[in-house]
Amino acid sequence: MAKLLYEGKAKNVYETDKADELLMVYKDQATAFNGKKKEILPGKGVLNCQISVLVFDYLIKNGIKTHLIKTLSDHEQLVKKSDVFPLEVVVRNIASGSLVKKFHVENGMKLREPIVEFYYKSDALDDPFINDSQVHALKIADKEEINYIKEQALKINQLLIPFFAESDFDLVDFKLEFGKVAGEIVLVDEFSPDNCRLWDKRSHHSMDKDVFRKHEGDLVKTYQEVLERLTNH
Ligand code: C5P
């Protein structure tokens, strides 16, 4: 049995025979509010994996470097081992979630331009907001790396807005993670409705983890619809 390297909330990461490759296994667990709300939802892991593969394949085709090597099954991916920056990189197009809570702006307000925010990845600290100069001074990433990460995050946003719009979704906001492989910064982790906000273009209903956070319906059915709409397009 492969050695478990990291047990996450939605995924486990295992060692493989190769020192520079890892196995990422999607789980059926859904969590919110930093793990305070937790449930097993059968089928969720497979859906997240499949949606993430669609998004990553599209990004790779459009020149974005990622850790993905190949998909091994409907819930397993082989990825390059990377030194992950302990940063959650959030991009926003429309005001929602913590931005609304912080600034009391209207939920759904279209932003003048996309926002990029960094949060320091720490369950113990509840992922606090961290600014560029703190990231640099605390040696989490240097200035050049910070600029590159922001540039990539905005490029990914410009690629994903039309990708989701074609399936009648507004891409409200999302979270990315980056790591370093042999000196090169690449996109890591996943892209699924667990880490983005997708609103139906007509009804403006949430088609993402807010359904679970706000008890708005069946999360697995919602993710199934997201996958179908993305695949059928
Ligand atoms: O909560 P907030 O509005 O800051 O979240 C912005 C985006 O980042 C949302 O799409 C949310 O799902 C995602 N996020 C995440 N993991 C976190 C925090 C936020 O995927 N730990």
Side-chain angles (χ1 to χ4, degrees):
M1 185 62 195
K3 190 177 156 207
L4 178 67
L5 275 186
Y6 168 77
E7 170 141 29
K9 296 188 197 97
K11 292 186 294 296
N12 287 344
V13 178
Y14 296 88
E15 271 182 351
T16 67
D17 295 343
K18 293 192 183 160
D20 54 353
E21 295 182 2
L22 298 173
L23 174 69
M24 219 164 71
V25 181
Y26 287 71
K27 304 198 287 193
D28 284 339
Q29 182 165 273
T31 64
F33 314 115
N34 197 13
K36 286 172 203 90
K37 180 172 158 74
K38 200 191 292 190
E39 253 174 68
I40 300 292
L41 301 175
K44 176 179 168 288
V46 166
L47 289 164
N48 274 7
C49 182
Q50 290 181 322
I51 293 168
S52 191
V53 166
L54 282 180
V55 176
F56 269 62
D57 280 350
Y58 166 79
L59 292 174
I60 292 164
K61 269 192 215 120
N62 284 282
I64 302 294
K65 298 268 193 295
T66 83
H67 70 161
L68 184 63
I69 301 170
K70 64 176 174 188
T71 306
L72 297 178
S73 76
D74 62 5
H75 67 291
E76 294 167 311
Q77 295 167 350
L78 194 64
V79 300
K80 289 176 198 155
K81 192 173 192 169
S82 65
D83 285 325
V84 180
F85 293 99
L87 292 174
E88 305 209 323
V89 182
V90 170
V91 180
R92 302 176 192 274
N93 297 306
I94 295 171
S96 193
S98 68
L99 193 75
V100 167
K101 207 168 158 195
K102 209 185 277 177
F103 297 111
H104 289 192
V105 291
E106 191 194 338
N107 189 48
M109 182 185 105
K110 173 105 181 63
L111 302 171
R112 198 203 307 261
E113 61 180 13
I115 298 174
V116 183
E117 297 168 355
F118 291 135
Y119 293 85
Y120 180 58
K121 240 176 109 80
S122 162
D123 282 344
L125 301 174
D126 256 344
D127 303 336
F129 176 85
I130 183 164
N131 72 15
D132 293 20
S133 77
Q134 289 170 324
V135 172
H136 177 72
L138 296 175
K139 300 178 187 169
I140 296 167
D142 66 27
K143 282 184 181 156
E144 205 183 315
E145 290 168 334
I146 293 168
N147 287 338
Y148 184 78
I149 289 172
K150 283 177 148 180
E151 205 182 279
Q152 285 298 104
L154 288 171
K155 203 166 156 188
I156 290 167
N157 187 39
Q158 289 315 314
L159 289 167
L160 291 183
I161 291 170
F163 175 83
F164 284 107
E166 280 180 13
S167 299
D168 286 327
F169 294 116
D170 279 327
L171 179 60
V172 174
D173 56 32
F174 56 89
K175 184 266 297 181
L176 303 173
E177 293 185 30
F178 291 88
K180 255 182 146 173
V181 180
E184 185 178 44
I185 296 177
V186 302
L187 178 68
V188 302
D189 197 47
E190 67 177 88
F191 194 107
S192 75
D194 264 8
N195 21 63
C196 67
R197 287 195 171 90
L198 294 174
W199 290 354
D200 179 85
K201 268 194 179 292
R202 274 171 274 275
S203 68
H204 300 290
H205 284 160
S206 296
M207 305 282 295
D208 53 60
K209 201 156 89 173
D210 273 350
V211 169
F212 176 74
R213 293 188 188 101
K214 299 177 177 173
H215 308 272
E216 283 178 349
D218 186 326
L219 190 79
V220 173
K221 272 195 191 140
T222 304
Y223 285 18
Q224 183 72 50
E225 189 181 332
V226 171
L227 178 64
E228 276 163 20
R229 276 163 67 166
L230 293 177
T231 324
N232 292 337
H233 195 83

